[in-house]
Amino acid sequence: MDTRLPPPERAQLYALIREKLELSGAELDDTTAVRELPGVDSVKLLSLVGAVELGFQVNLGFEAIPLVRTVHDIEQLVCDSREQYATRAS
C-alpha cells in the first residue's frame, strides 16, 4: 500500500492545509501536529477534511476527523481512500 502522494499532490495537500487552517507561511512537514497549530479548532478541521475530499476526489467521512493527528495522517487517509476505491472497482 502506497502511503505517499506524488510530489505535486503533496504540494497541493500542504497548500490546502495552509489555506483551510489559515496558516499563510507556516512550515509543515509529515510530523506537524495539526491540532496543535495556531487557531485550529473543530470547525477548521472539519472544513479541512471536506476540502481534502473535494480537492483529491476521495471520500473520508466524519470518521476521519479523529484520525487526523499529523500532516502525514491526512496524506495516509487520502492514499487509503484511493486504494479502497481501486479495490472495489476491480
Side-chain angles (χ1 to χ4, degrees):
M1 169 170 53
D2 194 7
T3 61
R4 306 301 284 183
L5 293 171
E9 285 189 317
R10 179 182 262 182
Q12 177 188 352
L13 176 63
Y14 279 43
L16 195 60
I17 293 169
R18 285 188 189 93
E19 175 190 342
K20 290 300 173 183
L21 300 183
E22 300 172 7
L23 306 166
S24 59
E27 287 293 320
L28 300 175
D29 64 32
D30 283 351
T31 62
T32 300
V34 174
R35 295 171 191 267
E36 294 176 16
L37 292 167
V40 171
D41 58 22
S42 58
V43 174
K44 285 184 180 178
L45 201 52
L46 179 61
S47 174
L48 173 61
V49 170
V52 169
E53 286 183 322
L54 290 173
F56 290 90
Q57 299 180 351
V58 294
N59 184 13
L60 304 179
F62 290 113
E63 56 276 354
I65 294 169
L67 301 175
V68 174
R69 294 176 307 279
T70 65
V71 170
H72 180 70
D73 292 336
I74 300 169
E75 185 175 12
Q76 178 74 52
L77 287 166
V78 171
C79 292
D80 288 350
S81 179
R82 286 179 172 174
E83 183 169 310
Q84 288 172 4
Y85 177 78
T87 301
R88 283 185 296 228
S90 61

